[in-house]
């Protein structure tokens, strides 16, 4: 009987321990652990206000041209379609290296982003340039596959020569509170990446609240992400400035805590030069100039490049050209 | 075939982006606006209006004396007894709406003049001052024909001639706060803008002239303290509305004691901005910045006393310092400027005096390492830590970009400290917990308490103080009530 009571109380005690609320007020100390501690809360209204103020910044003349060229150099030119073929991928890779040859002095994009099956084609196509190969993986975009499949997916892409891996987190697990699962998965993929840099896609459109975005950012960073990324581009809304701001602040807190820089990639929905410049202003005013290079900031986009090119030509010649003067690969 | 980019792109600054001034119309010399006409001051004296960001003269403004004020009050009385007093609320409303629309049409010009004359960043005059001023006219225009519904089952009468004296921190907005409810309730007005910022009030006089408002309903007399005193002491003024310093407020209250003049006084403040440990920290940091550095801290309700719970004090202060470093201080006309020029040389001296006191008191100072223009009146955003309730810089209103930071341990402690001041204008509370917000808002003795935001204004919302921050409310129905007699 006594043994029974003892074991009962043991079970009871461990239940209590499991149910204990996360301890508070650790988000800024050096021993912060998002699996044990609450992430800082995020006030949506405040974020919207901050973003609105960033959008009132006026970028003109020299700073505009410089900013636009920086944007081009930060683009992960992307094609992620069921109908992707080597032909399509090769053409996109050529575009990444030759954005607008009629106008000398333009940078290349940062990378091209493709499915794992297209990595070797892309790798061959960009040979000799600075353009990196990013590959989505882990059963992109839903991530609804067994761990073994996700690991194979990742290793295959890396073996084919991917420089960067864009993985998706398990949003279902996250939303049901299984943070440890999400963490372990990211850590395992990070290991499988080897030398390739890991971008962790939170798919913020499915996480819905900024508090969730912040929590997921903290978990991803803690699990070894080199970059955190908003979206797959397959779910609406994709990247927004509010979500990106929230993620930038997670990166900032991590940097203030540890001195380690993490990259940021908003993806999907950024299609105009003006919007892209607002993102750069936001990076500058939150993380600072150190993040303003494609080593630490990327845009996941397919149609952004041509709008930026159009603006650059407008800035330098004074007139807008028709979209027919810009290649659509 | 493939090409290499050799130049690494990094480091990025904003090019200057000044708002144009070619579209504004300013006269070299402004007379007084009395009885619908521009009249020369009887003394013949004019004073200079200076651009505080480059110390250059913008225009000359008439200095009204007692005789001029008497003329203005007589004109206001004549209009009150005449056309305006007899006009229906519906017709009055049309005039007020017309003024609001004309202000909107000239919003860009008004914003640029406000910035030139007062030194505030164009971002604020464009996005906050001018739109809010217009909205006050729109809001009160709507009440003009509905006074019986505003105060149901009461007999509503106007007061007569309102003498109004406004400060230099929000020149046009304060004019709107004063004039719009007075007109809606059927009063006539003699208004004196502050001597360092008369120009937008004079532009408003031009708009009023163009709107066809009957002569004498609104009179604008420019000048110094003596002009204001002449208004306050004029026997035919029925109501005094003043926004400004507590010292002047006390003088006014003495001057009108024993008369039947009604008064509303909106005076100084030393408002508490309270950051609890569970607050959304990054948004709270923005709120601190908006609370104290909005309009260079020339805000009566500025959140100038920051209280941070000890468990998050270090991180909040660290984040605040970093945020300070990203603020742009400089040419107020540049669209990217966050902090513009201090309104006047005198005010800059006052601020510097307090900064010196703070250092002498042993407080720890942090100023952002921003570059400051060599000409003009500028002050970098300044933080003081290691201060106490007994520090002078914690007790007295500085009216500049200077923030004192105190820490606290418990909610009860911060309520006591926040209330431990002769002022009581505003307060801010930052927490993720609704119950804490309600607890604090009921216990803080301040006219306005903001929760998870700061310095938010709306024409429908009353604004005013406790204790030495004054009495009476402006804005909303409360603001209208200050301009009517109910029976």
């Amino acid at each position: 009987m006594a043994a029974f009571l003892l074991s009962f109380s043991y079970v009871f005690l461990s239940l209590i321990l499991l149910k204990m609320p996360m301890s508070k007020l650790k988000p800024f100390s050096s021993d912060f652990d998002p699996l044990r501690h609450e992430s800082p809360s995020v006030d949506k209204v405040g974020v919207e206000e901050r973003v609105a103020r960033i959008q009132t910044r006026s970028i003109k003349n020299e700073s505009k041209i410089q900013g636009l060229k920086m944007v081009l150099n930060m683009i992960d030119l992307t094609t992620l379609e069921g109908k992707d073929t080597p032909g399509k991928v090769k053409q996109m890779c050529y575009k990444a290296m030759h954005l607008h040859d009629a106008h000398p002095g333009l940078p290349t994009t940062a990378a091209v982003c493709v499915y794992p099956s297209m990595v070797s084609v892309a790798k061959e196509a960009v040979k000799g340039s600075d353009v990196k190969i990013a590959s989505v993986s882990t059963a992109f975009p839903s991530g609804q596959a067994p761990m073994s499949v996700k690991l194979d997916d990742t290793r295959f892409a890396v073996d084919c020569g991917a420089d960067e891996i864009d993985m998706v987190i398990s949003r279902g697990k996250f939303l049901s509170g299984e943070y440890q699962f999400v963490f372990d998965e990211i850590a395992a993929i990070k290991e499988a990446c080897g030398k390739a840099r890991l971008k962790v896609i939170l798919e913020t459109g499915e996480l819905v609240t900024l508090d969730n975005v912040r929590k997921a950012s903290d978990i991803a960073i803690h699990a070894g992400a080199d970059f955190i990324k908003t979206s797959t581009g397959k779910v609406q809304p994709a990247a927004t400035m509010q979500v990106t701001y929230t993620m930038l602040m997670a990166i900032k807190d991590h940097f203030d805590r540890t001195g380690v820089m993490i990259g940021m990639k908003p993806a999907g929905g950024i299609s105009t030069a003006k919007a892209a410049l607002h993102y750069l202003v936001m990076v500058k005013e939150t993380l600072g100039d150190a993040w303003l290079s494609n080593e630490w900031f990327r845009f996941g986009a397919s149609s952004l490049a041509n709008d930026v090119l159009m603006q650059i030509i407008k800035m330098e010649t004074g007139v807008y050209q028709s979209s027919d003067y810009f290649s659509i690969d | 075939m493939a090409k290499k980019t050799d130049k690494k792109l990094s480091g990025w600054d904003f090019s200057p982006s000044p708002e144009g001034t070619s579209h504004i119309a300013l006269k070299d010399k402004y007379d007084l606006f009395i009885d619908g006409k521009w009249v020369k001051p009887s003394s013949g004296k004019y004073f200079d209006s200076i651009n505080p960001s480059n110390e250059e003269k913008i225009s000359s403004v008439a200095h009204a004396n007692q005789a001029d004020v008497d003329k203005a009050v007589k004109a206001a009385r004549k209009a009150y007894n005449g056309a305006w007093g007899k006009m229906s609320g519906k017709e009055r409303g049309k005039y007020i709406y017309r003024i609001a629309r004309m202000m909107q049409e000239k919003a860009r010009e008004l914003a640029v003049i406000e910035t030139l004359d007062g030194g505030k960043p164009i971002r604020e005059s464009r996005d906050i001052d001018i739109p809010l001023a217009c909205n006050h006219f729109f809001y009160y225009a709507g009440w003009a024909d509905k006074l019986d519904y505003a105060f149901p089952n009461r007999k509503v009468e106007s007061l007569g001639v309102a003498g109004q004296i406004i400060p230099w921190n929000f020149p046009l907005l304060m004019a709107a706060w004063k004039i719009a409810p007075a007109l809606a309730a059927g009063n006539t007005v003699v208004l004196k803008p502050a001597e360092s910022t008369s120009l937008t009030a004079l532009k408003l006089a031009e708009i009023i002239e163009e709107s066809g408002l009957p002569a004498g309903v609104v009179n604008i007399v420019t000048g110094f303290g003596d002009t204001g005193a002449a208004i306050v002491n004029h026997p035919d003024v029925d109501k005094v509305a003043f926004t400004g310093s507590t010292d002047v407020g006390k003088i006014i209250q003495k001057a009108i004691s024993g008369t039947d003049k009604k008064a509303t006084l909106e005076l100084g403040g030393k408002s508490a901005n309270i950051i609890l440990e569970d607050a959304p920290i990054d948004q709270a940091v923005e709120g601190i910045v908006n609370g104290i550095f909005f309009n260079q801290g020339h805000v009566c309700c500025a959140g100038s006393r920051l209280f941070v719970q000890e468990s998050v004090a270090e991180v909040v202060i660290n984040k605040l310092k970093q945020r300070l470093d990203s603020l742009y201080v400089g040419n107020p006309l540049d669209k990217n400027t966050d902090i513009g020029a201090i309104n006047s040389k005198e005010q800059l001296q006052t601020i510097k005096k307090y900064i010196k006191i703070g250092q002498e008191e042993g407080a720890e100072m942090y100023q952002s390492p921003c570059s400051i223009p060599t000409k003009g009146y500028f002050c970098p955003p300044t933080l003081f830590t290691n201060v106490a309730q007994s520090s002078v810089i914690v007790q007295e209103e500085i009216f500049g970009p200077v923030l004192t930071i105190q820490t606290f341990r418990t909610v009860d402690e911060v309520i006591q400290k926040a209330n431990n001041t002769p002022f009581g204008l505003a307060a801010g509370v930052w927490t993720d917990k609704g119950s804490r917000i309600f607890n604090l808002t009921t216990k803080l003795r301040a006219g306005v308490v903001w929760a998870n935001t700061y310095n938010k204004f709306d024409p429908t919302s009353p604004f005013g103080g406790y204790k030495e921050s004054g009495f009476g409310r402006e804005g909303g129905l409360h603001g209208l009530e200050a301009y009517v007699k109910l029976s």
Side-chain angles (χ1 to χ4, degrees):
Chain A
M1 183 64 191
F4 170 75
L5 268 180
L6 198 69
S7 69
F8 181 77
S9 62
Y10 180 76
V11 168
F12 191 65
L13 194 71
S14 57
L15 265 177
I16 289 177
L17 282 173
L18 276 174
K19 281 279 168 204
M20 267 215 322
M22 290 190 167
S23 64
K24 293 191 319 194
L25 300 175
K26 292 288 184 183
F28 306 105
S29 64
S30 54
D31 64 342
F32 172 68
D33 174 355
L35 296 177
R36 290 189 297 121
H37 303 133
E38 278 180 13
S39 287
S41 59
V42 183
D43 184 71
K44 184 165 168 272
V45 177
V47 171
E48 281 166 358
E49 230 167 67
R50 179 76 185 101
V51 164
R53 185 154 165 189
I54 287 166
Q55 287 171 325
T56 67
R57 288 289 190 216
S58 173
I59 309 300
K60 295 253 188 288
N61 306 326
E62 193 45 47
S63 65
K64 185 170 178 181
I65 290 187
Q66 197 194 346
L68 291 172
K69 287 184 179 170
M70 207 150 57
V71 170
L72 288 179
N73 195 230
M74 287 171 169
I75 291 175
D76 283 2
L77 202 59
T78 303
T79 181
L80 295 168
E81 291 176 350
K83 62 179 190 284
D84 282 348
T85 58
K88 159 73 194 174
V89 169
K90 277 185 208 158
Q91 289 168 44
M92 186 183 76
C93 289
Y94 192 82
K95 167 86 175 179
M97 298 180 290
H98 303 267
L99 282 167
H100 195 62
D101 282 349
H103 190 88
L106 293 176
T108 65
T109 68
V112 287
C113 183
V114 295
Y115 271 116
S117 56
M118 293 295 149
V119 168
S120 47
V121 176
K123 188 77 183 172
E124 181 62 29
V126 301
K127 203 183 250 173
S129 77
D130 281 343
V131 178
K132 301 261 193 303
I133 306 296
S135 170
V136 296
S137 84
T138 66
F140 180 95
S142 75
Q144 297 281 18
M147 193 60 207
S148 55
V149 173
K150 293 183 182 182
L151 285 169
D152 281 348
D153 200 17
T154 305
R155 287 191 197 110
F156 174 77
V158 173
D159 290 346
C160 292
D163 304 297
E164 298 165 1
I165 295 294
D166 291 25
M167 73 169 286
V168 292
I169 66 164
S170 296
R171 286 86 75 187
K173 295 286 186 187
F174 180 91
L175 290 171
S176 48
E178 296 182 47
Y179 300 140
Q180 185 72 54
F181 182 96
V182 176
F183 177 95
D184 290 345
E185 206 172 54
I186 298 167
I189 298 295
K190 168 73 183 170
E191 208 183 330
C193 280
K195 277 189 188 145
R197 291 178 93 195
L198 175 64
K199 305 193 197 107
V200 178
I201 304 171
L202 309 181
E203 194 65 300
T204 53
E206 291 185 347
L207 301 184
V208 184
T209 69
L210 294 181
D211 280 321
N212 277 347
V213 169
R214 173 66 200 232
K215 184 86 201 163
S217 303
D218 286 342
I219 291 172
I221 290 170
H222 215 65
D226 296 301
F227 260 82
I228 49 177
K229 175 175 168 184
T230 59
S231 323
T232 59
K234 308 290 183 193
V235 167
Q236 288 302 321
T240 65
M241 284 194 71
Q242 289 81 353
V243 154
T244 306
Y245 178 81
T246 304
M247 294 167 73
L248 290 173
M249 293 323 271
I251 291 172
K252 169 133 190 67
D253 286 337
H254 182 74
F255 179 75
D256 285 348
R257 219 164 32 225
T258 64
V260 175
M261 290 171 80
I262 304 291
M264 173 71 209
K265 178 178 173 184
I270 306 164
S271 55
T272 66
K274 192 173 181 182
L277 286 176
H278 287 155
Y279 276 85
L280 292 194
V281 172
M282 184 155 67
V283 172
K284 179 179 174 61
E285 295 199 358
T286 52
L287 301 176
D289 284 350
W291 265 264
L292 284 179
S293 81
N294 65 19
E295 202 182 343
W296 302 109
F297 194 79
R298 298 282 179 85
F299 290 102
S302 46
S303 60
L304 173 63
N306 275 5
D307 193 59
V308 174
L309 290 169
M310 205 183 272
Q311 297 299 331
I312 291 176
I313 304 304
K314 157 74 169 60
M315 292 288 296
E316 297 192 349
T317 65
V319 287
Y320 278 111
Q321 290 183 355
S322 136
S323 58
D324 286 344
Y325 290 86
F326 302 96
S327 57
I328 53 165
D329 291 316
Chain B
M1 163 178 154
K3 55 182 183 179
K4 285 232 177 200
T5 41
D6 36 28
K7 206 180 125 210
K8 229 190 162 73
L9 295 156
S10 68
W12 187 44
D13 279 312
F14 302 153
S15 304
S17 182
E19 175 71 49
T21 53
S22 57
H23 58 88
I24 64 166
L26 274 178
K27 292 190 266 189
D28 290 338
K29 197 158 107 179
Y30 279 94
D31 292 322
L32 307 167
F33 185 67
I34 296 173
D35 205 13
K37 291 182 286 288
W38 294 91
V39 298
K40 297 203 178 313
S42 52
S43 66
K45 282 185 190 155
Y46 291 83
F47 59 94
D48 292 346
S49 203
I50 304 288
N51 178 345
S53 69
N54 58 15
E55 302 173 49
E56 280 167 19
K57 179 184 157 184
I58 311 171
S59 180
S60 289
V61 179
H63 185 165
N65 62 14
Q66 206 171 347
D68 300 313
V69 169
D70 184 56
K71 218 187 286 175
V73 173
K74 284 206 171 99
R77 178 61 61 190
K78 194 178 78 189
Y80 182 72
N81 290 336
W84 192 249
K86 297 189 178 74
M87 196 181 285
S88 69
K90 192 174 145 198
E91 292 304 312
R92 281 204 311 272
K94 285 184 194 169
Y95 279 109
I96 306 171
Y97 274 125
R98 188 180 302 162
I99 294 168
R101 283 196 304 271
M102 290 173 69
M103 284 170 70
Q104 266 187 334
E105 282 162 16
K106 295 172 196 276
R108 195 164 156 227
E109 183 185 11
L110 291 169
V112 170
I113 295 173
E114 198 75 303
T115 287
L116 282 174
D117 200 23
K120 63 175 64 202
I122 187 74
R123 184 187 68 79
E124 289 178 9
S125 46
R126 179 196 66 201
D127 297 348
I128 299 165
D129 287 62
I130 309 302
L132 257 181
C134 300
N135 285 346
H136 267 269
F137 276 99
F138 276 117
Y139 172 73
Y140 281 112
W143 278 122
D145 62 344
K146 303 176 194 70
L147 296 178
D148 292 336
Y149 301 93
F151 309 103
N153 303 319
R154 311 282 295 273
K155 189 174 161 218
V156 186
E157 291 168 285
S158 52
L159 297 173
V161 176
Q164 306 177 324
I165 300 163
I166 58 170
W168 44 260
N169 57 344
F170 295 93
L172 187 67
L173 180 59
M174 289 300 110
W177 278 31
K178 297 278 185 283
I179 296 174
L183 297 189
N187 305 280
T188 55
V189 165
V190 176
L191 177 123
K192 186 194 95 69
E195 62 269 19
S196 64
T197 54
S198 309
L199 297 182
T200 43
L202 292 163
K203 289 304 283 189
L204 178 61
E206 287 179 359
I207 288 172
I208 286 169
E209 185 183 19
E210 204 185 324
S211 76
L213 188 77
V217 174
V218 174
N219 306 276
I220 311 276
V221 288
T222 45
F224 291 79
D226 59 323
T227 315
I231 294 174
V232 171
N233 293 318
H234 197 288
D236 206 26
V237 165
D238 299 296
K239 144 104 190 176
V240 174
F242 171 74
T243 298
S245 72
T246 297
D247 289 344
V248 176
K250 286 176 179 172
I251 296 170
I252 290 175
Q253 209 172 351
K254 274 183 199 143
I256 62 172
S257 63
T259 72
D260 61 354
K261 286 175 190 169
K262 285 187 106 189
T264 43
L265 303 179
E266 202 264 273
L267 310 175
K270 192 75 183 175
S271 300
N273 203 359
I274 301 167
I275 316 296
L276 296 166
E277 60 184 8
D278 64 338
I281 298 289
D282 289 315
Q283 287 73 57
V285 168
E286 286 307 311
I288 297 165
V289 169
N290 291 335
I292 183 63
F293 301 121
F294 174 49
N295 198 26
Q296 296 75 247
H298 303 328
V299 185
C300 42
C301 53
S304 49
R305 286 188 299 150
L306 178 66
F307 289 96
V308 191
Q309 201 152 14
E310 280 188 11
S311 52
V312 289
E314 198 188 322
V315 60
V316 168
I317 293 166
N318 182 30
K319 278 173 178 275
L320 189 57
K321 285 177 180 171
Q322 292 190 35
R323 182 69 180 101
L324 236 58
D325 298 351
S326 72
L327 294 172
Y328 289 82
V329 184
N331 180 7
L333 274 177
D334 194 300
K335 291 170 205 153
N336 292 324
T337 292
D338 295 306
I339 298 180
I342 301 300
N343 188 268
S344 66
K345 200 173 185 174
E346 295 72 40
Q347 189 55 30
L348 183 61
Q349 278 160 359
T350 306
I351 295 165
K352 283 183 171 164
K353 180 191 85 185
Y354 278 110
I355 289 177
K356 195 159 163 268
I357 291 174
Q359 288 170 305
E360 282 165 6
E361 284 182 316
E364 218 167 283
M365 185 175 79
Y366 179 83
Q367 287 187 320
S368 83
C370 54
S371 65
I372 280 189
T374 45
K375 254 192 138 188
Y377 318 130
F378 289 91
C379 178
T382 305
L383 308 177
F384 277 110
T385 50
N386 195 22
V387 295
Q389 288 289 99
S390 43
S391 310
V392 172
I393 52 169
V394 169
Q395 292 174 340
E396 295 182 13
E397 183 177 36
I398 299 173
F399 224 62
V402 181
L403 179 69
T404 62
I405 306 175
Q406 291 168 270
T407 59
F408 66 94
R409 295 153 300 172
T410 65
V411 171
D412 288 341
E413 180 190 359
V414 79
I415 292 170
Q416 278 187 340
K417 283 184 169 171
N419 288 336
N420 176 217
T421 164
F423 298 108
L425 196 51
V429 178
W430 297 81
T431 168
D432 214 25
K433 225 175 201 171
S435 58
R436 279 190 170 159
I437 292 173
F438 289 114
N439 179 32
L440 279 150
T441 48
T442 50
K443 289 177 184 159
L444 289 168
R445 299 195 63 217
V448 183
V449 183
W450 285 291
N452 291 333
T453 187
Y454 207 95
N455 276 341
K456 279 278 167 308
F457 306 98
D458 192 278
T460 63
S461 171
F463 182 91
Y466 279 49
K467 300 188 275 186
E468 286 198 14
S469 290
F471 52 80
R473 293 290 179 267
E474 293 183 300
L477 268 179
H478 300 69
L480 194 59
E481 200 177 335
Y483 285 95
V484 294
K485 188 162 75 191
L486 298 175
S487 48

